[in-house]
Structures are given as C-alpha cells and as structure tokens.
Amino acid sequence: MVKKRASIFISGKGSNLKNLIKKSREYNFPISINLVVCNNPNSEGILHAKKNSIPLLIIDTKKRNFENKILLYLKKYKISLICLAGYMKILSKKFLNNYKKIIINIHPSLLPKFKGLNTFSRILENKEIKTGCTVHYVSEKLDDGNIISQKYFYINKNDNEIIIKRKTQIQEYLAFPEAIIKIYRYN
Ligand code: GAR
C-alpha cells in the first residue's frame, strides 16, 4: 500500500509520537511518519525522532514567521496529514488557511467536555464518573472540530490526577491510531 506522509507535532514527552512510530511500521497502517515538528528544544520526544532517523524541525515560536518555516518543511516533505500530539501551541488562522490538507489533534478529555488546559484537575473537581480522550479534526476554535474517535474509562474513587493521566494515555495509544485508520478507510 502507498502510505500517506504524515508529520507529528509535539512539545513534550512524545509518548503518542513513539506509539505512532511503532504503528506506522505495520504493513497495513495507512501513514508513514516523515517529519516531526517540535517547539520545545528540551522535549523528550525529540529523542524518538532522532532514534528513528525521522527528519526533525525544532522551531522557536518567539521568532516572527515561524509558521512559514513549518509550512515550507511540510511542503518539502510532502506531508498530507498533521497529527498534533501534545503540541501546546495554537496554530494560527493563517496557518490553517495555508495548509489545505488534514490536521487532527488528540485531547485528554471526552470533548466537548473540558477543553483547554489543566484537564485532569477539572475532571476530578467536577466529580466526573468517566473520562477519556478524543481525536478530532482541527478547526479555528480551540479543541473544537468534528470528532473522529473517542475512548473512555470509569473513574475510581481513589484515582488522582497522575492515575487519571496514565489511564487516559493508555486510551490515547488506541484512539490515535484508530482515528488515522478511520480517516483513510475509504480513500
Ligand atoms: C497527551 O495526553 C495529549 O492528550 C495532551 O498532551 C499529552 C501529550 O503526551 N494534549 C493536550 O493536552 C492538548 N490540549 P505525549 O507527549 O506523551 O504524547
């Protein structure tokens, strides 16, 4: 099969990146990962790109026109899917208008609940009985856009933020690949 060329955007640990790299090696998985974009030079995730010899762009978001540089790289590497995997910077409207292909994001809650930051503490404060993660198309509004895939689990009464985060990420490693398969199922 001819795989679609994807770029993964990260800012932190990169555990979703690691998982997607592993999945992309499977014969039937619809994407290959041809570029990693990172806005944090201290991100642990950078190591996954290096270890797997994936082209890497580390950008300084304080520089003017940094998004133009990203757009150039996306073109250079013929990227037709962007996966935001813990990329903690909002893409500008201009970027979204310029990149005409697919952009998806993973968020650690059952959207439309708990958009934005500090998700886990708000979930606990709100005494939710279940939570999970969502993969959705990126639109101009934060953590909005059509939902592609969601996975959930029930919260135990002793669960704290660390445990909820861990349980959420286990679901993320299932939801992200599942969403990517769904996108290309009929293409
Ligand atoms: C993931 O849990 C993802 O849902 C979250 O960042 C984490 C990145 O983890 N994203 C957001 O909060 C975006 N609003 P990772 O670097 O280990 O993949």
Side-chain angles (χ1 to χ4, degrees), residues 12-17 85-86 88 105-108 116 143 169 172-173:
K13 194 157 174 262
S15 66
N16 278 285
L17 166 66
M88 304 311 265
N105 177 47
I106 191 153
H107 185 76
D143 298 327
Q169 289 212 310
E172 290 187 343
Y173 307 146

Side-chain angles (χ1 to χ4, degrees), residues 13-89:
K13 194 157 174 262
S15 66
N16 278 285
L17 166 66
K18 184 181 176 198
N19 181 53
L20 289 175
I21 292 172
K22 190 168 148 230
K23 293 299 292 183
S24 73
R25 300 255 154 81
E26 289 174 15
Y27 177 74
N28 280 326
F29 197 65
I31 62 161
S32 56
I33 298 168
N34 300 91
L35 177 67
V36 170
V37 174
C38 180
N39 68 337
N40 169 13
N42 301 317
S43 156
E44 269 181 65
I46 287 174
L47 294 176
H48 299 303
K50 289 192 172 158
K51 237 195 273 170
N52 291 283
S53 308
I54 299 169
L56 169 70
L57 171 64
I58 300 173
I59 37 145
D60 180 354
T61 53
K62 285 194 235 53
K63 291 228 167 88
R64 237 166 49 95
N65 293 334
F66 75 91
E67 283 190 336
N68 288 348
K69 190 166 178 190
I70 302 179
L71 286 166
L72 279 176
Y73 269 71
L74 294 171
K75 208 167 176 182
K76 178 175 169 194
Y77 288 99
K78 300 187 172 61
I79 299 300
S80 58
L81 171 71
I82 296 175
C83 301
L84 305 180
Y87 182 68
M88 304 311 265
K89 176 96 191 155

